[in-house]
Amino acid sequence: MNKGILLSGGIDSIALSYWKRPDIAFTLNYGQEPALAEIGASKAVCSALNIRHEVIEIDCSKLGSGDLLKQKALDVAPSTEWWPYRNQLLITLACMKAISYGIKELMVGAVRSDGFHKDGTVGFFSRISELMQYQEGNISISAPGIDKISSELVIDSGIPPDILFYAHSCHMGNMPCGHCRGCNKYIEVTQQLSDAGWKKS
C-alpha cells in the first residue's frame, strides 16, 4: 500500500476518494455527534470503490467544542463547528495507523473554502506534512483539492451522484438537522452542481 485518505464521509473527502482511488481510507470516531453516520457513509463509499476501510475509535470528546459536540464553541473559534486542533489530531491518529500499512501519503479532503480555519489552509498542510515526513515513517500529507471549491472538486473528480450522495455533512448528529454549517454547505454544493448542469454519468 502507498496512499491513504482521511475519509470523513462528507462531500469533499468522498469526491477525493473517487478521484484519487487511495489504497486505504481511515475514518475516525473521536467522540463527535455524527460519528455513526460518517462511518456509515464512508463504509458505503469504500465498498462501492473497493477501497480498504479502517475505522479508528478514540474518545476525545472531553477535548472538543462546538457543533460537533452540541456545545457552544470556544471564544477563539472562527466558526460554530470549530474543534481545537482537530485536523492536527485526526491526521496524527490516522498516521499512527497508516504507518503499520507502509502508507507514504495521506490525503485530506480540504477545499479552498476551508481556509477560514487555520488548519484548512495551504500553510497548515505544508507544515504538518513537513512534520510528519521528519518523523519515522516519512508520511507526506496532501490536500489535492485545496485550490478548488467543493463543486469544482466534485465535477473534476468525475464522481457519479449515486456515490457522492452517500455523503453525510451534518455537524450536529446522525440525521441532517438542516441548519448547521455542514447541512447548509451540502445544500449550497448541490445547488451549484445543478446550476453547472452536473448530470448522472
Side-chain angles (χ1 to χ4, degrees):
M1 290 188 184
N2 186 42
K3 291 189 176 184
I5 191 167
L6 193 54
L7 181 58
S8 70
I11 287 175
D12 301 328
S13 63
I14 288 176
L16 187 61
S17 295
Y18 188 88
W19 181 25
K20 296 298 184 180
R21 303 299 173 99
D23 301 299
I24 188 168
F26 302 97
T27 304
L28 283 97
N29 176 357
Y30 52 98
Q32 74 277 31
E33 287 288 332
L36 293 180
E38 291 176 3
I39 291 167
S42 298
K43 181 177 180 181
V45 168
C46 287
S47 178
L49 301 181
N50 197 29
I51 296 171
R52 181 172 181 144
H53 187 223
E54 287 279 347
V55 177
I56 300 169
E57 307 253 2
I58 183 164
D59 187 1
C60 299
S61 58
K62 299 241 186 311
L63 304 174
S65 79
D67 290 349
L68 289 162
L69 287 172
K70 293 187 179 175
Q71 295 178 0
K72 182 181 181 298
L74 298 174
D75 290 342
V76 296
S79 62
T80 59
E81 83 281 1
W82 187 78
W83 179 306
Y85 307 104
R86 182 171 66 126
N87 280 353
Q88 184 174 336
L89 170 73
L90 301 182
I91 288 167
T92 300
L93 292 171
C95 285
M96 289 170 74
K97 186 67 175 175
I99 195 170
S100 66
Y101 289 105
I103 296 299
K104 292 301 178 188
E105 178 184 356
L106 181 73
M107 295 178 284
V108 181
V111 292
R112 194 165 68 222
S113 60
D114 293 329
F116 69 91
H117 290 164
K118 288 283 190 180
D119 66 359
T121 62
V122 171
F124 170 80
F125 289 110
S126 174
R127 288 170 172 85
I128 195 84
S129 184
E130 183 178 358
L131 178 62
M132 291 300 183
Q133 288 178 83
Y134 175 76
Q135 298 175 82
E136 292 80 3
N138 189 28
I139 300 175
S140 68
I141 309 301
S142 67
I146 195 72
D147 62 340
K148 305 175 188 297
I149 62 172
S150 295
S151 57
E152 291 171 340
L153 175 58
V154 169
I155 292 168
D156 290 351
S157 74
I159 189 172
D162 61 334
I163 296 178
L164 181 70
F165 292 142
Y166 284 129
H168 181 79
S169 299
C170 184
H171 296 143
M172 302 290 285
N174 293 305
M175 295 294 292
C177 70
H179 58 79
C180 71
R181 282 179 48 83
C183 286
N184 289 338
K185 175 179 175 175
Y186 186 96
I187 294 166
E188 179 183 332
V189 172
T190 53
Q191 184 60 59
Q192 289 170 349
L193 290 170
S194 176
D195 292 346
W198 187 61
K199 308 280 188 191
K200 289 185 178 181
S201 56

